[in-house]
Amino acid sequence: MRAIDSAQTYSITVQLDTDLREEFVEFTYSLSSDVEMVSPFIYQLMRKINILRPMDGTEVDIEVALREALLNAVVHGNRKDPSKHIYLRVRCRADGEFAMVIRDEGAGFEFGSVPDPTAPEQLMSTHGRGIYLMRALMDEVSFEEGGTVVHMRKRPSLPNYQAQ
């Protein structure tokens, strides 16, 4: 249980957004930059997420994108420096929409310099697929603050869902 002990929950919020009249649950975490913490942490977090949002077949997409973003933050952002942290904010809306923001303490990166993992010369590379997978699996992915912050959103694939 080392991963859960090391993950600090800063807040758990359940509220009604008065502007949008949408109910949501929000979790905020701080994790140390330890690759071995990522999988146990994601396991526990996905258990919470799967309780809070309707099961619609997108759970694996969310889990893979979350894993890629956290591993990128630990390995590439913070360079596995145990004195640095990853900050994660997760929001599940009552309608099933899922959003997350991940921030690392690294120097950032030049998004345009990330090679296309589908290019023939990159097919055998063991790196460079995280951002590609995040973009393929989530509905929205954006980077801010020089690449140290990633925002991702997944809308539910339920037939009665209407984006607002």
Side-chain angles (χ1 to χ4, degrees):
M1 283 300 192
R2 188 179 86 159
I4 302 308
D5 294 340
S6 298
Q8 300 171 1
T9 303
Y10 286 146
S11 66
I12 299 174
T13 307
V14 179
Q15 68 185 61
L16 179 65
D17 185 324
T18 55
D19 293 335
L20 299 175
R21 297 281 182 220
E22 290 292 329
E23 294 180 30
F24 64 88
V25 176
E26 184 173 280
F27 300 96
T28 306
Y29 299 94
S30 171
L31 303 151
S32 64
S33 294
D34 182 352
V35 171
E36 292 181 18
M37 276 185 52
V38 173
S39 287
F41 173 75
I42 290 174
Y43 174 77
Q44 292 295 326
L45 181 58
M46 288 306 299
R47 288 181 59 194
K48 289 178 188 176
I49 291 168
N50 290 335
I51 291 168
L52 295 170
R53 64 186 299 276
M55 301 293 273
D56 64 352
T58 63
E59 299 79 24
V60 172
D61 294 351
I62 291 170
E63 183 174 347
V64 171
L66 176 61
R67 182 178 311 281
E68 292 298 332
L70 288 175
L71 287 171
N72 279 352
V74 169
V75 174
H76 301 295
N78 288 351
R79 306 244 184 245
K80 300 181 188 177
D81 182 342
S83 70
K84 293 183 178 181
H85 289 82
I86 309 302
Y87 303 95
L88 170 66
R89 187 178 73 228
V90 173
R91 180 179 283 193
C92 294
R93 287 188 1 185
D95 65 6
E97 184 174 285
F98 174 81
M100 63 183 141
V101 178
I102 298 162
R103 174 186 306 270
D104 64 52
E105 295 180 331
F109 68 99
E110 180 65 39
F111 183 75
S113 68
V114 177
D116 177 1
T118 64
E121 65 275 9
Q122 295 296 322
L123 292 178
M124 299 307 290
S125 175
T126 58
H127 296 286
R129 289 171 178 72
I131 293 172
Y132 177 83
L133 285 170
M134 289 163 25
R135 288 190 176 276
L137 297 171
M138 299 299 281
D139 295 321
E140 296 174 25
V141 177
S142 63
F143 294 91
E144 295 179 355
E145 299 182 33
T148 61
V149 178
V150 61
H151 294 261
M152 294 191 281
R153 180 181 316 277
K154 186 71 167 179
R155 291 177 195 89
S157 65
L158 301 172
N160 61 351
Y161 175 75
Q162 295 177 1
Q164 297 180 7

